[in-house]
Amino acid sequence: MATLKYLLQSKSENSQIYIRYSINRNKVLWRKSGFIIDAKYWSDSLSLPLQKTDSLKNLKSKLDKLTVFINEAYNDAIGKGVEITGEWLQLQIDLFNNKAPVIELDVLTNYIQKFIDEAPYKQNQKKELGLSKGRIQNLKLFKNTVVKYENEVLKGKSLFVKNIDLQFIEKYKMWMFSKGYSTNYVGKNIANFRTICRDAFKNDVETSTQVKNFKGISESKEPEDIVFLTEQEQELIKMATLHREALINARKWLLLGCLIGQRGGDLLSITSNQIKDFGNIKIIELKQKKTGKLVAIPLFPGAIEIVESGMPYKISLARFNEYIKDVCKEANINTPTKWRKKQKQGKPSIKITSPKYEAISSHVCRRSFATNFYGHFPTPMLMNITAHGTEKMFLLYIGKTTYDNAYQMLEYFGKLNK
């Protein structure tokens, strides 16, 4: 049951009376009640005005009525399945005090939710209608992180779209780092602030003029942080003795993925109908879900061997991620490896060192392809298959620098001269 308590946060003659509304142990909302009092007439033990004058008695009566009003609204909201937030509490206070409530979309979390609700009608990266499931999930996590900031830093007070400026971004960034969030996730949050504020501006919601200056950040991984399977490790996986049909099937997908460099969702959707003869070579032709790009991927001998032995049967991405850890464990892929481990929803990832098989997920296919073939083929050819937009992004992806690329070009031209 929610409990309401009135508190002062100063000892002045015009102290604001605050409401602390405890929904449960983990969710406490704070708002100004709209009433003030001389602190010397306040009882800390009773959390109410001292009953010394008629005006103090009248104030107590109003606070009692406000308590009843909020609790009745709470019971009604719970019955209707309404989420109890700081915005909801502020609305009840405004209604009780006959104040015009804040326009709903001025509140940042409300606008984020509006953006999420309209996701099916927004243009995506492929210039098509509808944001991807991954993008929507990212926005939901973003909203949860903002709510966490409101509760921890602002004591339940709502953020407004108009207050999202460079000064706020710096404070928010420092808070995220102090909580252990990764640099990349901090950067995604800043990008989301920019996206939400730009969309709000288009809908005539007041925004800061500094939005265009919001700069994202990302971390460049050290080479030892890049998790991929070497050619030797892939050979160990190929030769490992597996007894479960599910693992044998997952191994096929894993080895094929390391040879064609596609994201997990695209890899697991491949069928034998997409394997075609193109002159004297075999290719896999597919349309990438994220980019909408049609790519033709040449099959190397190892990949041809896999598909000609019979395409692996379909499995979900979740099962694939589960099984390939077991496959790599059976193949003794256990080199101590640094990687970021995801935690439960809303919690930052943590950097750990563990046996390599624990760090393996579907993403290892694309990264292994890019890393192992880098230097053996021109980078633009690899980028065309992995669908990286720029050479800089590609090099960061595999933990290389522009100097590595220059050295690779010299090697490549040396081979051409020979």
PDB file of all heavy atoms in Angstrom, residues 267-284:
ATOM      1  N   LEU A 267      21.877 -14.430 -40.748  1.00  0.00           N
ATOM      2  CA  LEU A 267      22.483 -15.760 -40.897  1.00  0.00           C
ATOM      3  C   LEU A 267      21.435 -16.858 -40.739  1.00  0.00           C
ATOM      4  O   LEU A 267      21.322 -17.758 -41.586  1.00  0.00           O
ATOM      5  CB  LEU A 267      23.593 -15.934 -39.861  1.00  0.00           C
ATOM      6  CG  LEU A 267      24.161 -17.354 -39.688  1.00  0.00           C
ATOM      7  CD1 LEU A 267      24.920 -17.771 -40.943  1.00  0.00           C
ATOM      8  CD2 LEU A 267      25.053 -17.437 -38.451  1.00  0.00           C
ATOM      9  N   LEU A 268      20.672 -16.786 -39.656  1.00  0.00           N
ATOM     10  CA  LEU A 268      19.744 -17.875 -39.324  1.00  0.00           C
ATOM     11  C   LEU A 268      18.505 -17.917 -40.218  1.00  0.00           C
ATOM     12  O   LEU A 268      17.704 -18.847 -40.125  1.00  0.00           O
ATOM     13  CB  LEU A 268      19.323 -17.759 -37.857  1.00  0.00           C
ATOM     14  CG  LEU A 268      20.467 -17.884 -36.836  1.00  0.00           C
ATOM     15  CD1 LEU A 268      19.957 -17.630 -35.424  1.00  0.00           C
ATOM     16  CD2 LEU A 268      21.123 -19.252 -36.920  1.00  0.00           C
ATOM     17  N   SER A 269      18.344 -16.910 -41.066  1.00  0.00           N
ATOM     18  CA  SER A 269      17.194 -16.904 -41.977  1.00  0.00           C
ATOM     19  C   SER A 269      17.545 -17.445 -43.361  1.00  0.00           C
ATOM     20  O   SER A 269      16.686 -17.550 -44.244  1.00  0.00           O
ATOM     21  CB  SER A 269      16.632 -15.483 -42.121  1.00  0.00           C
ATOM     22  OG  SER A 269      17.577 -14.640 -42.764  1.00  0.00           O
ATOM     23  N   ILE A 270      18.812 -17.809 -43.558  1.00  0.00           N
ATOM     24  CA  ILE A 270      19.259 -18.296 -44.876  1.00  0.00           C
ATOM     25  C   ILE A 270      18.658 -19.672 -45.159  1.00  0.00           C
ATOM     26  O   ILE A 270      18.618 -20.553 -44.288  1.00  0.00           O
ATOM     27  CB  ILE A 270      20.799 -18.374 -44.931  1.00  0.00           C
ATOM     28  CG1 ILE A 270      21.401 -16.969 -44.867  1.00  0.00           C
ATOM     29  CG2 ILE A 270      21.274 -19.080 -46.212  1.00  0.00           C
ATOM     30  CD1 ILE A 270      22.914 -16.965 -44.722  1.00  0.00           C
ATOM     31  N   THR A 271      18.201 -19.847 -46.375  1.00  0.00           N
ATOM     32  CA  THR A 271      17.690 -21.150 -46.829  1.00  0.00           C
ATOM     33  C   THR A 271      18.480 -21.596 -48.059  1.00  0.00           C
ATOM     34  O   THR A 271      19.220 -20.810 -48.663  1.00  0.00           O
ATOM     35  CB  THR A 271      16.198 -21.070 -47.202  1.00  0.00           C
ATOM     36  OG1 THR A 271      16.054 -20.230 -48.367  1.00  0.00           O
ATOM     37  CG2 THR A 271      15.378 -20.482 -46.047  1.00  0.00           C
ATOM     38  N   SER A 272      18.302 -22.839 -48.438  1.00  0.00           N
ATOM     39  CA  SER A 272      19.019 -23.377 -49.606  1.00  0.00           C
ATOM     40  C   SER A 272      18.618 -22.651 -50.887  1.00  0.00           C
ATOM     41  O   SER A 272      19.386 -22.624 -51.861  1.00  0.00           O
ATOM     42  CB  SER A 272      18.730 -24.881 -49.753  1.00  0.00           C
ATOM     43  OG  SER A 272      17.340 -25.120 -49.819  1.00  0.00           O
ATOM     44  N   ASN A 273      17.432 -22.022 -50.904  1.00  0.00           N
ATOM     45  CA  ASN A 273      16.979 -21.289 -52.095  1.00  0.00           C
ATOM     46  C   ASN A 273      17.838 -20.064 -52.379  1.00  0.00           C
ATOM     47  O   ASN A 273      17.832 -19.536 -53.502  1.00  0.00           O
ATOM     48  CB  ASN A 273      15.523 -20.851 -51.932  1.00  0.00           C
ATOM     49  CG  ASN A 273      14.571 -22.038 -51.895  1.00  0.00           C
ATOM     50  OD1 ASN A 273      14.862 -23.089 -52.465  1.00  0.00           O
ATOM     51  ND2 ASN A 273      13.448 -21.889 -51.220  1.00  0.00           N
ATOM     52  N   GLN A 274      18.544 -19.580 -51.362  1.00  0.00           N
ATOM     53  CA  GLN A 274      19.359 -18.381 -51.532  1.00  0.00           C
ATOM     54  C   GLN A 274      20.779 -18.704 -52.003  1.00  0.00           C
ATOM     55  O   GLN A 274      21.563 -17.798 -52.252  1.00  0.00           O
ATOM     56  CB  GLN A 274      19.419 -17.591 -50.212  1.00  0.00           C
ATOM     57  CG  GLN A 274      18.076 -16.972 -49.825  1.00  0.00           C
ATOM     58  CD  GLN A 274      18.070 -16.483 -48.384  1.00  0.00           C
ATOM     59  OE1 GLN A 274      17.784 -17.240 -47.458  1.00  0.00           O
ATOM     60  NE2 GLN A 274      18.401 -15.220 -48.184  1.00  0.00           N
ATOM     61  N   ILE A 275      21.095 -19.985 -52.116  1.00  0.00           N
ATOM     62  CA  ILE A 275      22.422 -20.400 -52.593  1.00  0.00           C
ATOM     63  C   ILE A 275      22.334 -20.607 -54.103  1.00  0.00           C
ATOM     64  O   ILE A 275      21.554 -21.417 -54.587  1.00  0.00           O
ATOM     65  CB  ILE A 275      22.883 -21.685 -51.887  1.00  0.00           C
ATOM     66  CG1 ILE A 275      22.941 -21.444 -50.374  1.00  0.00           C
ATOM     67  CG2 ILE A 275      24.230 -22.131 -52.414  1.00  0.00           C
ATOM     68  CD1 ILE A 275      23.117 -22.686 -49.557  1.00  0.00           C
ATOM     69  N   LYS A 276      23.137 -19.832 -54.822  1.00  0.00           N
ATOM     70  CA  LYS A 276      23.027 -19.830 -56.280  1.00  0.00           C
ATOM     71  C   LYS A 276      24.395 -20.007 -56.933  1.00  0.00           C
ATOM     72  O   LYS A 276      25.424 -19.670 -56.342  1.00  0.00           O
ATOM     73  CB  LYS A 276      22.383 -18.520 -56.746  1.00  0.00           C
ATOM     74  CG  LYS A 276      20.989 -18.295 -56.152  1.00  0.00           C
ATOM     75  CD  LYS A 276      20.392 -16.983 -56.566  1.00  0.00           C
ATOM     76  CE  LYS A 276      18.997 -16.803 -55.945  1.00  0.00           C
ATOM     77  NZ  LYS A 276      18.388 -15.519 -56.332  1.00  0.00           N
ATOM     78  N   ASP A 277      24.379 -20.533 -58.152  1.00  0.00           N
ATOM     79  CA  ASP A 277      25.599 -20.650 -58.946  1.00  0.00           C
ATOM     80  C   ASP A 277      25.753 -19.389 -59.777  1.00  0.00           C
ATOM     81  O   ASP A 277      24.812 -18.958 -60.455  1.00  0.00           O
ATOM     82  CB  ASP A 277      25.522 -21.870 -59.873  1.00  0.00           C
ATOM     83  CG  ASP A 277      25.584 -23.168 -59.083  1.00  0.00           C
ATOM     84  OD1 ASP A 277      26.470 -23.285 -58.221  1.00  0.00           O
ATOM     85  OD2 ASP A 277      24.729 -24.047 -59.318  1.00  0.00           O
ATOM     86  N   PHE A 278      26.919 -18.776 -59.684  1.00  0.00           N
ATOM     87  CA  PHE A 278      27.192 -17.547 -60.428  1.00  0.00           C
ATOM     88  C   PHE A 278      28.474 -17.783 -61.211  1.00  0.00           C
ATOM     89  O   PHE A 278      29.577 -17.638 -60.700  1.00  0.00           O
ATOM     90  CB  PHE A 278      27.347 -16.376 -59.454  1.00  0.00           C
ATOM     91  CG  PHE A 278      27.436 -15.044 -60.130  1.00  0.00           C
ATOM     92  CD1 PHE A 278      26.311 -14.436 -60.684  1.00  0.00           C
ATOM     93  CD2 PHE A 278      28.655 -14.380 -60.218  1.00  0.00           C
ATOM     94  CE1 PHE A 278      26.402 -13.199 -61.306  1.00  0.00           C
ATOM     95  CE2 PHE A 278      28.753 -13.150 -60.843  1.00  0.00           C
ATOM     96  CZ  PHE A 278      27.620 -12.554 -61.384  1.00  0.00           C
ATOM     97  N   GLY A 279      28.305 -18.218 -62.460  1.00  0.00           N
ATOM     98  CA  GLY A 279      29.462 -18.610 -63.248  1.00  0.00           C
ATOM     99  C   GLY A 279      30.038 -19.887 -62.652  1.00  0.00           C
ATOM    100  O   GLY A 279      29.339 -20.892 -62.498  1.00  0.00           O
ATOM    101  N   ASN A 280      31.298 -19.851 -62.274  1.00  0.00           N
ATOM    102  CA  ASN A 280      31.914 -21.047 -61.698  1.00  0.00           C
ATOM    103  C   ASN A 280      32.073 -20.936 -60.173  1.00  0.00           C
ATOM    104  O   ASN A 280      32.884 -21.642 -59.583  1.00  0.00           O
ATOM    105  CB  ASN A 280      33.284 -21.299 -62.349  1.00  0.00           C
ATOM    106  CG  ASN A 280      34.228 -20.116 -62.131  1.00  0.00           C
ATOM    107  OD1 ASN A 280      33.789 -19.047 -61.730  1.00  0.00           O
ATOM    108  ND2 ASN A 280      35.502 -20.330 -62.411  1.00  0.00           N
ATOM    109  N   ILE A 281      31.332 -20.019 -59.567  1.00  0.00           N
ATOM    110  CA  ILE A 281      31.382 -19.895 -58.111  1.00  0.00           C
ATOM    111  C   ILE A 281      29.971 -19.993 -57.525  1.00  0.00           C
ATOM    112  O   ILE A 281      28.974 -19.824 -58.236  1.00  0.00           O
ATOM    113  CB  ILE A 281      32.012 -18.549 -57.659  1.00  0.00           C
ATOM    114  CG1 ILE A 281      31.136 -17.367 -58.123  1.00  0.00           C
ATOM    115  CG2 ILE A 281      33.431 -18.396 -58.146  1.00  0.00           C
ATOM    116  CD1 ILE A 281      31.555 -16.043 -57.508  1.00  0.00           C
ATOM    117  N   LYS A 282      29.910 -20.307 -56.226  1.00  0.00           N
ATOM    118  CA  LYS A 282      28.629 -20.321 -55.524  1.00  0.00           C
ATOM    119  C   LYS A 282      28.537 -19.069 -54.658  1.00  0.00           C
ATOM    120  O   LYS A 282      29.520 -18.627 -54.065  1.00  0.00           O
ATOM    121  CB  LYS A 282      28.511 -21.555 -54.631  1.00  0.00           C
ATOM    122  CG  LYS A 282      28.199 -22.842 -55.377  1.00  0.00           C
ATOM    123  CD  LYS A 282      27.936 -23.974 -54.401  1.00  0.00           C
ATOM    124  CE  LYS A 282      27.590 -25.260 -55.129  1.00  0.00           C
ATOM    125  NZ  LYS A 282      26.305 -25.182 -55.856  1.00  0.00           N
ATOM    126  N   ILE A 283      27.338 -18.502 -54.591  1.00  0.00           N
ATOM    127  CA  ILE A 283      27.112 -17.329 -53.750  1.00  0.00           C
ATOM    128  C   ILE A 283      25.856 -17.530 -52.900  1.00  0.00           C
ATOM    129  O   ILE A 283      25.006 -18.368 -53.216  1.00  0.00           O
ATOM    130  CB  ILE A 283      26.947 -16.035 -54.586  1.00  0.00           C
ATOM    131  CG1 ILE A 283      25.678 -16.141 -55.464  1.00  0.00           C
ATOM    132  CG2 ILE A 283      28.184 -15.743 -55.410  1.00  0.00           C
ATOM    133  CD1 ILE A 283      25.274 -14.827 -56.097  1.00  0.00           C
ATOM    134  N   ILE A 284      25.799 -16.780 -51.809  1.00  0.00           N
ATOM    135  CA  ILE A 284      24.553 -16.656 -51.040  1.00  0.00           C
ATOM    136  C   ILE A 284      24.037 -15.251 -51.279  1.00  0.00           C
ATOM    137  O   ILE A 284      24.764 -14.266 -51.090  1.00  0.00           O
ATOM    138  CB  ILE A 284      24.776 -16.882 -49.536  1.00  0.00           C
ATOM    139  CG1 ILE A 284      25.061 -18.356 -49.257  1.00  0.00           C
ATOM    140  CG2 ILE A 284      23.562 -16.433 -48.727  1.00  0.00           C
ATOM    141  CD1 ILE A 284      25.317 -18.662 -47.794  1.00  0.00           C
TER     142      ILE A 284
END
